[in-house]
Amino acid sequence: MQEGDLVIGRDSELRDMTRTLLSTGASARTLLVVGAPGTGKTTLLEQARRAATEEGAHVLRLRCHDGESAPGAEALADGVHAVLARFHDRRSPVRVGAVRRIRLQSTGQDGELALLSVLSEILTDAAARIPFAVVVDDVDRMPHPTASALGLLLRVFRPAGVPMVMAGRPVRPTADGASPLTAAADRLLQLPPLRPADIEALVVRRLGRPVEPALVTAVLAALGPMAGTPAAVLSVLDALDERGDLLELDGHVCLTEPERALRLTTDTTELSRLCWPGSPPDSDGLDAAAAVARSVEHAEVRLDDLLRLKPGGPRRAGLVDRAVTSLVRDGTLTVDKDGRIAFAVPALAAALRTLPTHHDVSTLHALITRSLTDRLGAETAGSCYPRLAEHVATAGAELDDALAVDLLLAAARADARSDWPRSVRAYASALRRLPPYDHRTPQVLRESAELSLRHADHTGALALGEPLLAHLTAAPAGTRDRGSLDFVAEVWALAALHEHRSPHLDAVRDPVPSIAELAELAGPFGLDPTPPRARRETHRASAAEPRKGSGPLPSGPELRLLAAAAGSHDGLSTALRTLPPDADGTPDLDRLRNAAVHADLAGALAAVLGDRYTGAGNSTAAWYHAMVRDYLDGDWDQALVSARRIEARGRTRGTTAGAAQPARALAAEIHCTRGELDLARFWIELIPEAVSHPLVAWARLGVRYWSGQREEALATALRDVRRAREQGLHAGTEKVLLRYMSFALVAGLPQAMPQALDELEALHAVVGSPTTREAVLIGRGLVHGDAESALAALRSVRERGDAYLGLLCCLCLMEIGDESGPWLAEASRIAQSLGIGRATRTTLGHMTRRRTFGLPRTRPARDGFGLEDVRLATMVSEGATNRQIAARLAWSEKTVERRLSGLFRRTGCRSRVELAAAWLDGSLARRVPVPDGTPARAGGPVPGPGRARRP
């Protein structure tokens, strides 16, 4: 909760405590602050003490917990004596002597009252001479006699002028009612749990960097009812840091550990303090709690399971049963209406699982299973109690394989509709126990693959690769179920693509040739660092056979259509003609082409399969599809969140997600466009040099150009385009060529622009997609000054949805159109919404200044821009009129005119268009404004670059 001298989420409580400590004299009050363990009471008390001290108050700490005197008034007198020792005036000996005399003379109840009366008098006397306040921490740790004495002092002998703030855990009421300190306090202040926003701020402060929202969400979920406890949050963060489960990307901290593995500290003392504040368990109690945590980790344990074991059950089960009873009693375990047992705080369960235990957990699960199978049989027990499958998996070798497989298969089939994730796990457990050569293996593989495909569980489908390969290796060729194995292999390969991995499994490709068709998709969608030429040779050698049928899986013709989406128009038309006449629905070719341009596999599959597509689930492809959508919509911050999630997912232990090269390229492009070159280089350097996808080439061109490698970047760009064409990858090369043309314009290489336009037109003749058409129209607008072409491109881009390309269209219209103002306003709006950085603003500024206005004049000045100048320039760049500016700033129109004139005079800008252009490219902030009243130089403006002429 604390970092330095600041607290989070406790502003009002801090004010109340500080105000109480400052209320000396007649307004002195007593405040009791209570909160659960780890809520930050001590931190808040110390901060309030510092704040009051800074205001000039004397704040003294009273400790009467651990003195040598007997608990009660004697211990309280020792604490008061230590407080008064801080005062050095002529009355100090008198006060000390009075306390000593009364302690020697008084005995019993009357003596205690006399002692409290004297303590009150000397505290009052000291406060009258030097006003002071008192703080008392950990009042819950006070022995009851001492707490009663302090409460009696405050209620009956209240020292006049001495404010007091006490802090501690909630104290249980006594037999007489409220606790003595609660009854004595003027006010009770209870610390509530921190809000989620405060928890996020706490996480950011502890880690020292911004964090991904998924990290905060995971921490809150792992803590359950303790989510608002600062100490628990910090404990989880410390555990993550110790294990190296945090990854920094883009200056944001991401989580690389499965969310269910988040745990509290494993220090038993700290764990007991946080989770068992009342009566911490001993070593045996922690041992039993660790056994319970392991028991409920992978299996659903219910109370009736334990009850079945009680009559004559083993002692080991009885120990766990007793542990469950105590854990439920203190609230550590919860039991729902169906009797399911779970830890209230998942992070506590994860921490307990790391502790050693003497209990054999696998034996307990085997006993729970046998308690039903001995009575009902394996298949009946599995059908009636599908949750037994988890007990079988946890029991391991304690159960015979034959019994286990029968129960697992029955449970998996019974759970397929009601609880498909548990069914997938049951199938996986059965496959681990089935011998690879078993005749049932192909059918079990198929059932599991169908379930995973139906629910878009691509991680579960990808896990079928190992048992599939084992069966193909062990079973003779003549005994294989070819139909089931082909289906399973195709589901596995499709799952590999969804997890952005290339489905190259040689042992499967030979007996299942259709894998080659799916593997061929890795090239167009940037999922394979293998050079495409070698990949095609492997495909020809495998001689994949055409596959019939439809359903959730793409058929052979549909796979060829998907692969052709990145190629020529003729290839796409040929693939389209191979679709059967009775195919379900018509593929959305424009959507397919756009998906291929951005290497969006999920979007391409949805365009071809339509309603038959079961979805991308929670796969890497699903996250990348969302990233592409956010990028095109202009929500670049959210797109970067997806990129970081994809990268962290690829490094998460226990998952099968691979590195997503298209996501890295798109993240590098966003950062480069925003001018964050260090971050852009970080992302682009994660991509192996062997990856030559056009999307990667496009991002590399931008990063290298703005990193100062201009000649190399431009020279390499055309080579990459030609190489991609040789490899049959056309989709996306128009982005590289269009970028090459815009860089040539900025770099002052007009001779290179017609060459790039020729390349674009040749590409469009081969591809003929909406994106190549848009690129050609923009290129013609820039090279030939064709405003109609640029307008047509803008209309197409707006309909398709691509914020950044729309910005380029607006700038092209500024370059060649007759009226630059409206296009500049729209370009400014888009650029600001995208967070355009200095590098791109420089490009845009060069393009805008090519229009008709000259380079801005700079003059010596003394004053800087004020806030009103910034607001005015911003609204002008957005295209606002004087009347609109006056309404928004609550000025008169005359005031707007006067301030605009002064801004023009001080910056050297001669018009609203020139002012907006300077604001857009960032040069306005670097100009030194001219003081009001300074005359302009003679000679007029400096001429800028000439405007491109129409042929």
Side-chain angles (χ1 to χ4, degrees):
M1 176 176 174
Q2 180 180 7
E3 185 76 16
D5 293 332
L6 300 177
V7 294
I8 293 176
R10 305 293 193 201
D11 294 342
S12 60
E13 292 87 350
L14 180 60
R15 283 195 299 270
D16 290 344
M17 295 170 68
T18 305
R19 191 179 299 119
T20 300
L21 293 176
L22 293 173
S23 63
T24 55
S27 62
R29 294 291 181 267
T30 301
L31 176 67
L32 175 60
V33 182
V34 296
T39 51
K41 302 178 294 297
T42 300
T43 299
L44 194 58
L45 187 66
E46 179 62 21
Q47 183 61 27
R49 187 191 67 80
R50 292 182 183 179
T53 301
E54 291 173 358
E55 293 289 333
H58 295 279
V59 183
L60 307 179
R61 193 183 302 276
L62 174 65
R63 289 199 60 83
C64 44
H65 304 54
D66 47 10
E68 296 180 357
S69 299
E74 291 287 332
L76 183 59
D78 287 341
V80 171
H81 178 75
V83 168
L84 296 178
R86 303 287 300 274
F87 292 93
H88 301 286
D89 60 5
R90 59 185 181 85
R91 289 190 55 82
S92 295
V94 177
R95 300 188 192 106
V96 174
V99 174
R100 287 178 177 173
R101 282 195 305 273
I102 198 65
R103 293 177 71 172
L104 292 173
Q105 297 171 2
S106 56
T107 58
Q109 179 71 22
D110 293 339
E112 180 173 312
L113 293 176
L115 179 58
L116 294 177
S117 177
V118 170
L119 292 177
S120 175
E121 290 175 2
I122 62 176
L123 286 171
T124 301
D125 178 68
R129 296 177 179 276
I130 304 177
F132 66 94
V134 175
V135 295
V136 190
D137 198 7
D138 297 327
V139 294
D140 55 289
R141 293 174 50 196
M142 278 186 182
H144 182 70
T146 306
S148 298
L150 179 59
L152 192 61
L153 174 68
L154 295 177
R155 283 186 293 123
V156 179
F157 306 103
R158 172 75 64 88
V162 182
M164 185 176 295
V165 174
M166 302 175 288
R169 300 174 186 174
V171 181
R172 293 182 179 179
T174 63
D176 299 332
S179 68
L181 295 181
T182 303
D186 295 320
R187 184 183 172 198
L188 179 66
L189 180 61
Q190 190 158 5
L191 298 182
L194 292 183
R195 299 169 299 175
D198 297 327
I199 293 296
E200 181 176 2
L202 176 63
V203 173
V204 170
R205 178 171 294 173
R206 169 52 65 95
L207 298 179
R209 297 173 298 278
V211 299
E212 278 300 305
L215 171 59
V216 179
T217 302
V219 171
L220 293 176
L223 289 174
M226 294 182 67
T229 305
V233 174
L234 298 179
S235 176
V236 171
L237 294 178
D238 290 341
L240 287 171
D241 195 32
E242 289 173 4
R243 293 181 294 169
D245 296 328
L246 297 175
L247 172 69
E248 182 173 356
L249 294 170
D250 282 358
H252 290 70
V253 180
C254 307
L255 181 66
T256 62
E257 179 74 9
E259 295 180 3
R260 65 179 181 82
L262 267 64
R263 62 171 173 80
L264 293 167
T265 178
T266 53
D267 179 78
T268 55
T269 303
E270 181 67 13
L271 202 62
S272 299
R273 186 186 73 84
L274 280 174
C275 302
W276 288 282
S279 54
D282 54 15
S283 58
D284 292 337
L286 280 176
D287 185 3
V292 174
R294 294 185 185 183
S295 299
V296 301
E297 179 182 9
H298 299 297
E300 178 185 298
V301 179
R302 300 193 184 191
L303 287 179
D304 56 355
D305 295 328
L306 301 177
L307 292 175
R308 277 196 302 272
L309 302 180
K310 272 190 173 182
R315 176 179 296 180
R316 189 168 293 143
L319 286 175
V320 174
D321 180 42
R322 290 196 297 274
V324 167
T325 301
S326 63
L327 291 172
V328 170
R329 184 172 54 247
D330 62 27
T332 304
L333 283 180
T334 61
V335 181
D336 66 9
K337 62 180 181 180
D338 294 325
R340 283 186 289 261
I341 299 171
F343 275 80
V345 180
L348 170 61
L352 289 172
R353 286 193 289 269
T354 65
L355 301 179
T357 179
H358 296 91
H359 298 284
D360 190 349
V361 174
S362 58
T363 301
L364 174 64
H365 289 282
L367 290 171
I368 292 174
T369 305
R370 289 199 186 99
S371 68
L372 290 171
T373 55
D374 290 347
R375 182 162 50 93
L376 303 175
E379 293 187 10
T380 304
S383 300
C384 297
Y385 300 92
R387 60 187 177 85
L388 284 180
E390 297 174 339
H391 292 283
V392 173
T394 310
E398 294 285 335
L399 292 175
D400 180 72
D401 283 346
L403 171 71
V405 168
D406 289 342
L407 189 150
L408 288 168
L409 293 180
R413 289 158 184 161
D415 248 347
R417 291 186 179 275
S418 58
D419 193 344
W420 67 264
R422 190 164 64 186
S423 179
V424 168
R425 294 194 296 270
Y427 276 122
S429 298
L431 287 170
R432 283 192 293 270
R433 289 178 176 266
L434 271 174
Y437 51 81
D438 194 287
H439 70 280
R440 292 175 293 177
T441 299
Q443 183 60 28
V444 175
L445 283 168
R446 182 181 183 95
E447 291 176 10
S448 182
E450 287 177 343
L451 191 61
S452 294
L453 180 63
R454 185 185 313 135
H455 296 283
D457 177 24
H458 300 292
T459 301
L462 197 58
L464 298 176
E466 184 177 347
L468 173 64
L469 176 59
H471 178 74
L472 291 173
T473 304
T479 62
R480 295 173 183 170
D481 183 351
R482 181 65 182 272
S484 294
L485 295 180
D486 283 2
F487 177 81
V488 175
E490 290 158 9
V491 171
W492 172 85
L494 189 62
L497 291 173
H498 274 90
E499 293 297 351
H500 279 207
R501 301 179 64 176
S502 178
H504 285 170
L505 190 55
D506 294 336
V508 177
R509 289 167 65 103
D510 292 337
V512 188
S514 56
I515 294 296
E517 292 181 320
L518 282 158
E520 197 67 21
L521 297 179
F525 294 96
L527 308 181
D528 187 6
T530 305
R533 181 171 298 174
R535 183 171 53 245
R536 286 208 305 271
E537 289 173 359
T538 304
H539 173 44
R540 286 197 295 270
S542 67
E545 298 177 1
R547 190 169 57 83
K548 299 179 181 180
S550 60
L553 283 175
S555 64
E558 288 170 334
L559 287 175
R560 289 189 286 275
L561 181 64
L562 285 163
S568 66
H569 180 267
D570 292 341
L572 186 65
S573 299
T574 301
L576 189 62
R577 285 194 295 270
T578 62
L579 291 177
D582 58 345
D584 298 335
T586 302
D588 189 338
L589 294 185
D590 288 346
R591 184 180 176 187
L592 175 61
R593 281 288 200 186
N594 191 41
V597 167
H598 296 93
D600 179 10
L601 176 69
L605 285 168
V608 172
L609 297 180
D611 294 338
R612 291 163 43 213
Y613 183 44
T614 56
N618 192 38
S619 65
T620 304
W623 280 96
Y624 182 66
H625 178 68
M627 181 181 181
V628 170
R629 182 185 63 243
D630 292 332
Y631 173 80
L632 295 176
D633 290 344
D635 190 355
W636 286 5
D637 290 329
Q638 186 59 40
L640 288 174
V641 169
S642 297
R644 292 189 287 267
R645 180 67 180 266
I646 291 169
E647 189 65 29
R649 179 188 176 94
R651 306 185 192 190
T652 298
R653 288 179 284 178
T655 70
T656 53
Q661 313 302 349
R664 291 169 170 174
L666 209 53
E669 164 61 20
I670 292 174
H671 283 301
C672 182
T673 306
R674 287 181 164 180
E676 300 159 348
L677 292 179
D678 289 340
L679 295 174
R681 284 191 289 266
F682 163 79
W683 283 104
I684 210 69
E685 288 169 1
L686 292 175
I687 304 176
E689 285 294 329
V691 178
S692 58
H693 191 275
L695 193 71
V696 175
W698 170 62
R700 279 180 179 153
L701 171 59
V703 174
R704 287 175 177 172
Y705 182 89
W706 289 113
S707 296
Q709 309 170 31
R710 299 189 177 186
E711 293 76 10
E712 178 187 353
L714 292 172
T716 305
L718 292 180
R719 185 189 66 193
D720 289 343
V721 168
R722 295 184 183 115
R723 183 187 304 170
R725 287 181 183 174
E726 292 171 0
Q727 297 167 352
L729 299 180
H730 297 286
T733 54
E734 68 274 11
K735 298 172 74 69
V736 185
L737 292 170
L738 190 59
R739 170 157 289 173
Y740 178 93
M741 182 181 298
S742 64
F743 285 169
L745 174 66
V746 175
L749 302 173
Q751 69 278 4
M753 295 176 63
Q755 179 186 3
L757 180 58
D758 291 342
E759 293 275 359
L760 272 175
E761 290 177 334
L763 175 67
H764 181 55
V766 173
V767 176
S769 69
T771 54
T772 57
R773 176 177 174 272
E774 292 164 2
V776 168
L777 291 173
I778 296 173
R780 288 174 180 170
L782 286 174
V783 175
H784 303 312
D786 187 349
E788 291 299 325
S789 294
L791 280 170
L794 180 59
R795 286 192 294 266
S796 176
V797 167
R798 283 173 172 170
E799 183 178 355
R800 183 173 58 85
D802 188 334
Y804 184 60
L805 197 56
L807 173 62
L808 295 182
C809 290
C810 292
L811 294 170
C812 178
L813 288 166
M814 288 176 56
E815 170 77 11
I816 61 179
D818 295 331
E819 294 184 5
S820 299
W823 302 120
L824 176 60
E826 184 169 354
S828 173
R829 179 186 59 78
I830 297 174
Q832 291 177 12
S833 68
L834 298 180
I836 295 296
R838 177 183 177 185
T840 304
R841 283 201 306 269
T842 302
T843 303
L844 309 184
H846 279 298
M847 296 181 72
T848 55
R849 286 195 294 273
R850 285 175 54 84
R851 178 62 180 96
T852 53
F853 43 81
L855 291 175
R857 296 175 291 175
T858 58
R859 304 176 182 178
R862 294 189 303 267
D863 301 328
F865 287 111
L867 178 60
E868 291 181 347
D869 295 324
V870 173
R871 296 167 66 189
L872 193 58
T874 301
M875 283 185 280
V876 169
S877 67
E878 292 173 350
T881 64
N882 286 2
R883 178 173 295 180
Q884 292 169 331
I885 295 173
R888 289 171 61 181
L889 297 181
W891 294 348
S892 66
E893 290 189 47
K894 265 194 168 181
T895 301
V896 175
E897 282 186 357
R898 178 173 54 81
R899 290 185 179 272
L900 268 178
S901 299
L903 191 58
F904 290 156
R905 184 171 61 252
R906 289 185 290 128
T907 59
C909 295
R910 297 172 300 167
S911 66
R912 299 170 74 97
V913 173
E914 188 174 348
L915 177 66
W919 175 255
L920 180 64
D921 70 1
S923 65
L924 189 65
R926 297 190 297 270
R927 297 188 187 194
V928 182
V930 179
D932 292 339
T934 303
R937 291 182 184 175
V942 179
R947 177 184 176 188
R949 297 184 179 179
R950 301 185 183 182

